[in-house]
Structure formats: structure tokens, C-alpha cells
Amino acid sequence: MLRRLVFLLLAANLLFFAWSKGWLGDLLGVRPDAQREPERLARQVRPQTIVVLPPAPAASARPAAAPASVAAAAAGDDKPVCLEAGPFATGASISAMAALRAVQPPLPPGSWVEVTIDRPGAWLVVLPRPASREALTRRDEELKRARIAYEVLNTPEELAGSLSLGRFDDRDAADKALAQLSQRGIRPAKVAELHAASTIHVLRAAKVDKALAAQLGAIRSDALGRGFVPCGS
């Protein structure tokens, strides 16, 4: 009995060894390397038609979503809308226009224009920030008696808490107003420059239909800053 068992185990090992070497593949119809090369390559169907494409960045797989403000404008009725990008300084506007011309697919010719805006300077006549609530109350009573309107400034930071007595487009007008206030005993006021005169540029697309609004709203470029938004936003 023991001899028979040993003989069967020896025969089974010999058969497995012969099968693992592939000697019994034609007889049994199954090879131990059936899922390996080169047999798998030999069974390919028209392998010459397979083309391996390079991986594409995930961001390019789908267009960027348009900002909510642009999407809302484009989702309205069929009336054209006005979109613009900017404002840009002179040098920045050149880069922004280059980015816009490089958009793919190209934007329709004449769909946007550069608009140059000369922005005047701005000057304020201000009183310094009152040192306490009681000082603010006294100053408020003084200005009311003189019938002078004012507002408490929150911006810019260096003027926060100061009292603005008027805003002017040129320095001469601000200086004249300051002189008049001084004659009326409103002191110690001064003239503060809010911003200097400058030239800014916007890229404007007027009378835009829904399709073009969606295309403009999906453009993403650092040169375009926040991108296209409804005009006046």
C-alpha cells in the first residue's frame, strides 16, 4: 500500500514537471505560460492599429467653468450682454491682449476691443481721527453747527477713522476748499491724495450672445486677472 502511494506521488510530480516545462501543452491544450509573452502578443487582433497617446493634463480634459456672474448673464434671455476684463495698467494690458489672441478656439474677429480710460486723480480734505468718542461727539456738533457734511473713512488704511469733508478731482480745488474751511475755523484739516491720475485699460466685449459669453467666461489666464465679468462689476 505504501509503495503504491509513493509511486503515485512520484508519477504526479513527474507529470507536473513535464507540464510546467510546456512539454504537454499540445497534448493537454493548456500551457503554463498561456498568459505571458510571447503567446499573448501572437493572439493580438490588428495590433498595428493601436496608438498610445501621451497623457494630457487633467485641467485640459474639460473647459473651466465660467464664473457665476458670467454664467448668470449668459443664462438670461437672448439679449446681448456686456463683458469686460480689467482694469489693467498700460504694460499689463499688452500681456492681457496677447493672452486673449492666443485663446483656442480663436475668438470671433471684432468680438472685443481695448478701451482706454483716463482716470483723474482724487484728493480728500480730511480732519484727523478723533482721539476718543467724546472728541468725535464734539467734532460732530461743531460740523453740524457749521452745516458741513462729513463721513468717517474706513479706507485707505492710513486714513481710517479720519473725517472726510469732501472729495476733489484736482489738487487746486482741494486746496481752495481747505482754505475756506480754515477761514471758518475748521482745523486742523489737511489735503490727502487718495490716488494719482492714471490711464487704465479694459478689454470689453459688448453685445455678446450666450455662446460667446460662455467662451469668454471660461478663459483662464494669469494675464487676464479675474477674467471677464459683467461690465461695471
Side-chain angles (χ1 to χ4, degrees):
M1 182 67 180
L2 182 59
R3 290 181 179 179
R4 181 178 299 177
L5 180 60
V6 171
F7 176 77
L8 290 175
L9 289 174
L10 180 61
N13 279 280
L14 290 173
L15 287 173
F16 178 78
F17 178 78
W19 175 79
S20 65
K21 292 296 184 180
W23 299 339
L24 302 180
D26 293 336
L27 178 64
L28 300 178
V30 178
R31 293 181 180 272
D33 56 353
Q35 298 301 317
R36 300 176 186 175
E37 310 296 357
E39 285 76 8
R40 179 179 294 181
L41 290 175
R43 291 198 300 272
Q44 290 187 102
V45 178
R46 300 175 63 195
Q48 68 277 10
T49 62
I50 299 175
V51 178
V52 178
L53 298 176
S60 64
R62 60 182 185 276
S69 57
V70 176
D77 52 30
D78 293 330
K79 292 182 180 179
V81 297
C82 177
L83 302 177
E84 64 184 14
F88 306 102
T90 300
S93 70
I94 296 174
S95 299
M97 288 188 288
L100 206 54
R101 294 189 181 102
V103 169
Q104 294 296 330
L107 297 170
S111 59
W112 60 273
V113 295
E114 179 190 16
V115 179
T116 301
I117 303 171
D118 291 324
R119 186 175 66 169
W123 287 263
L124 300 175
V125 174
V126 297
L127 286 167
R129 177 180 180 176
S132 63
R133 184 178 295 276
E134 291 75 14
L136 176 59
T137 300
R138 291 195 298 270
R139 182 67 80 176
D140 175 72
E141 294 173 351
E142 176 189 12
L143 295 175
K144 284 182 177 178
R145 287 195 300 270
R147 297 184 180 181
I148 297 174
Y150 74 92
E151 65 172 312
V152 179
L153 296 174
N154 295 317
T155 57
E157 184 177 355
E158 60 270 19
L159 294 178
S162 300
L163 307 183
S164 171
L165 306 183
R167 175 170 174 158
F168 305 88
D169 291 339
D170 63 80
R171 179 61 188 257
D172 289 342
D175 287 339
K176 290 178 181 178
L178 176 62
Q180 293 173 357
L181 289 169
S182 297
Q183 291 175 0
R184 298 173 64 180
I186 307 299
R187 300 184 180 91
K190 67 175 183 177
V191 173
E193 184 180 63
L194 191 58
H195 61 76
S198 61
T199 298
I200 59 175
H201 307 260
V202 296
L203 306 182
R204 182 171 296 161
K207 299 181 179 179
V208 174
D209 59 22
K210 289 183 179 180
L212 183 54
Q215 185 179 3
L216 290 171
I219 296 173
R220 293 293 179 271
S221 171
D222 291 340
L224 289 171
R226 61 176 181 169
F228 279 86
V229 297
C231 294
S233 297

